[in-house]
Amino acid sequence: MTTTKVTRKEKISYGLGDMASHIGLDNVIIFLTFYYTDVVGLPAAFVGTMFLLARTADAIIDPAMGYMADRTRSRWGKFRPWMLWLALPFGASCLLTYAVPESLDMTGKMIFASVSYTFMMLMYTAINIPYCSMGAVITPDNDERIALQSWRFFLATLGGALSTFFMMPLAEYLGGADKLAGYRWAMAIMAGVAVIMFWVCFANTRERIKAPATHNNYLSELRDLLRNDQWRVVAVLVLTNIGFGVIRLGAMMYFVTYYLGNAAYFMWMLAAHILGKAAGSVLAKRLTRNANKVRMFGYCSVLAGVLSIGLFFAPKSVILLVPMTFIVSTLYQATTTLMWVMMADVADYGEWRQGKRMDGIIFSTFLAVLKLGMALSGAIVGWTLGFSGYVANAPEQAPLAMYCIVALFTVVPGLLSLAAFVTLRWYRLDDHTMQEINLSKVQSIVKG
């Protein structure tokens, strides 16, 4: 194990891996439902059921993929080769989701959509888990890890923003009146760019932390993982973090349409959210330059929570809400960036305490928790609207429905952010502790 500084080229190259993921995934999340229902003509109920089943299955197989990645042995390392091997299959899977043949009947289109979407989710899991795990083995240095994650989330936000903003214009330009062809060619271009980015990520990164081979079985490693008390703490942070983001973004369109009274404001709010996430990725590195990352995480969590709850009582003014959305999103993204650094620290802590390194299992189970949190958060939005008496496309919503819409966008995310701050009470891997852990590991290597 070395503490070699990571060059800016390598940091950017590592970030390109998540940029590639978001070029494909963000388009799928934002546009695929519309493509299936309004372009292909699939029933909306079928599309919703298909998404639910595929995402649940995807979360279940995450730990198994982590187990496989941990046991990969190659001259390129454990995690890097997956960027090389799966870049093309991932790109192809993204393209296939937008390639439903027009000649098929409805049953055939349903089968094609189900198989291609499930394949895409499988390829995303297979390449994304090794990618996320790789961040923990590029360097043990705390500052360098924060810089890696800052570049990663900045580029991921940029990739998702650019691809989603250009998807519709590109599809219209390439396909004209043929919407099926337009979407297919637009995604072909974006998938090709994503493949190249993954290959650049593979070529310009290095795994500097080498873990000894382990022969424990899958269930044994899961038991060891659950004994890691800091994994449990960060898992709660993952749930609160993803809940903040998904519930707030899921309620945004309702908030703008019914509370502000103008759906056209959505693009302004979305732009403020995206720019805030980009700023938060950069801010995380600057905040921790001369301060403890756990303390900064706590400060950002409290500020994001208080400001988000404060919006519930703010005047109904888009001039105020747009900049406040930017600030809250900036603070939220700063905590997201630092949270992924904490995940890497959990891997170091587990190796120090239990004598074996399980990056793949650790990151895959965190991703499983994240995906389950996404599913639960989305359900909370739907359940709350249903309970409140919300009526789609109604000129005016009932008072209880309006109250719940505003609360979903402001109070609920704010409370989750404050819950994250409270959870920090049980998190013990601050900068000083991690320095001691890494020092003891180096000393044990020297003695050995």
Side-chain angles (χ1 to χ4, degrees):
M1 184 173 64
T2 69
T3 56
T4 304
K5 294 295 182 181
V6 182
T7 64
R8 179 170 295 182
K9 176 183 177 181
E10 186 171 359
K11 293 171 185 174
I12 293 174
S13 297
Y14 177 70
L16 288 176
D18 215 22
M19 191 174 187
S21 293
H22 280 266
I23 283 177
L25 190 66
D26 284 21
N27 268 288
V28 166
I29 290 173
I30 295 175
F31 293 114
L32 194 60
T33 301
F34 175 82
Y35 169 78
Y36 280 150
T37 59
D38 287 41
V39 179
V40 178
L42 299 181
F46 166 80
V47 174
T49 303
M50 179 184 71
F51 283 170
L52 176 63
L53 295 176
R55 288 168 182 171
T56 302
D58 183 46
I60 292 172
I61 67 173
D62 278 358
M65 184 61 215
Y67 182 80
M68 290 174 57
D70 271 334
R71 276 152 182 75
T72 302
R73 294 293 179 267
S74 77
R75 60 193 178 98
W76 301 303
K78 291 198 300 183
F79 306 120
R80 283 180 61 228
W82 294 93
M83 309 301 109
L84 175 66
W85 299 335
L86 294 181
L88 272 176
F90 173 75
S93 71
C94 292
L95 174 58
L96 284 172
T97 59
Y98 283 96
V100 179
E102 190 174 8
S103 58
L104 295 176
D105 60 15
M106 183 58 68
T107 300
K109 290 178 180 179
M110 288 180 175
I111 294 173
F112 188 96
S114 299
V115 173
S116 60
Y117 179 74
T118 302
F119 177 58
M120 188 280 298
M121 293 302 296
L122 177 63
M123 288 299 99
Y124 173 78
T125 292
I127 200 167
N128 196 249
I129 286 175
Y131 170 80
C132 293
S133 303
M134 191 167 66
V137 298
I138 290 177
T139 176
D141 184 86
N142 180 70
D143 291 338
E144 295 297 281
R145 280 181 172 175
I146 293 173
L148 272 176
Q149 297 301 332
S150 294
W151 276 106
R152 170 193 172 184
F153 282 105
F154 175 78
L155 291 172
T157 301
L158 180 63
L162 291 176
S163 63
T164 51
F165 275 125
F166 284 109
M167 181 66 173
M168 292 292 287
L170 194 58
E172 292 176 3
Y173 174 76
L174 295 173
D178 189 346
K179 292 184 177 180
L180 281 171
Y183 274 98
R184 187 182 304 120
W185 282 111
M187 180 49 70
I189 293 172
M190 293 181 181
V193 173
V195 169
I196 294 172
M197 287 180 175
F198 271 126
W199 284 341
V200 172
C201 178
F202 161 78
N204 295 329
T205 54
R206 297 291 179 269
E207 296 184 18
R208 296 176 177 83
I209 299 178
K210 308 298 181 183
T214 177
H215 302 287
N216 289 345
N217 61 44
Y218 180 54
L219 293 178
S220 174
E221 292 207 345
L222 285 178
R223 285 195 296 269
D224 288 338
L225 177 73
L226 294 175
R227 294 189 186 105
N228 187 325
D229 60 308
Q230 297 304 289
W231 180 91
R232 298 195 299 268
V233 173
V234 177
V236 175
L237 293 178
V238 171
L239 283 174
T240 57
N241 180 272
I242 195 63
F244 182 106
V246 171
I247 292 174
R248 183 166 171 260
L249 195 58
M252 184 183 288
M253 190 65 186
Y254 301 99
F255 179 83
V256 169
T257 302
Y258 296 106
Y259 181 68
L260 296 183
N262 190 342
Y265 291 150
F266 178 74
M267 291 307 297
W268 287 97
M269 298 285 282
L270 181 61
H273 172 72
I274 291 172
L275 291 173
K277 288 183 65 178
S281 301
V282 176
L283 182 65
K285 173 61 177 173
R286 297 189 179 278
L287 285 176
T288 55
R289 185 167 294 169
N290 298 305
N292 186 293
K293 67 175 180 291
V294 180
R295 188 177 298 116
M296 288 299 103
F297 184 100
Y299 290 157
C300 290
S301 295
V302 170
L303 281 173
V306 170
L307 291 176
S308 185
I309 294 173
L311 289 176
F312 183 84
F313 306 97
K316 190 187 297 186
S317 168
V318 71
I319 296 176
L320 172 65
L321 288 168
V322 167
M324 287 299 294
T325 296
F326 171 82
I327 294 171
V328 173
S329 296
T330 298
L331 294 167
Y332 163 69
Q333 187 65 15
T335 63
T336 301
T337 303
L338 295 176
M339 182 185 70
W340 281 86
V341 178
M342 293 176 179
M343 293 182 193
D345 290 346
V346 168
D348 288 345
Y349 170 75
E351 181 185 16
W352 171 72
R353 184 176 179 183
Q354 298 172 309
K356 58 183 178 181
R357 193 167 187 92
M358 302 186 296
D359 301 279
I361 285 287
I362 286 173
F363 278 90
S364 63
T365 49
F366 278 139
L367 284 171
V369 171
L370 186 148
K371 290 172 183 177
L372 291 174
M374 288 177 63
L376 180 60
S377 299
I380 287 173
V381 174
W383 293 337
T384 303
L385 291 175
F387 168 78
S388 69
Y390 166 79
V391 179
N393 298 314
E396 292 185 6
Q397 296 295 335
L400 179 59
M402 187 68 75
Y403 179 90
C404 289
I405 287 171
V406 179
L408 283 170
F409 184 70
T410 59
V411 176
V412 177
L415 292 176
L416 287 170
S417 191
L418 295 178
F421 171 73
V422 174
T423 303
L424 283 182
R425 175 182 177 184
W426 292 274
Y427 185 77
R428 298 186 282 111
L429 305 182
D430 58 18
D431 295 350
H432 177 70
T433 302
M434 291 309 303
Q435 288 172 1
E436 290 186 341
I437 288 175
N438 285 322
L439 180 60
S440 68
K441 287 159 63 178
V442 171
Q443 289 173 341
S444 65
I445 292 172
V446 172
K447 291 179 180 178

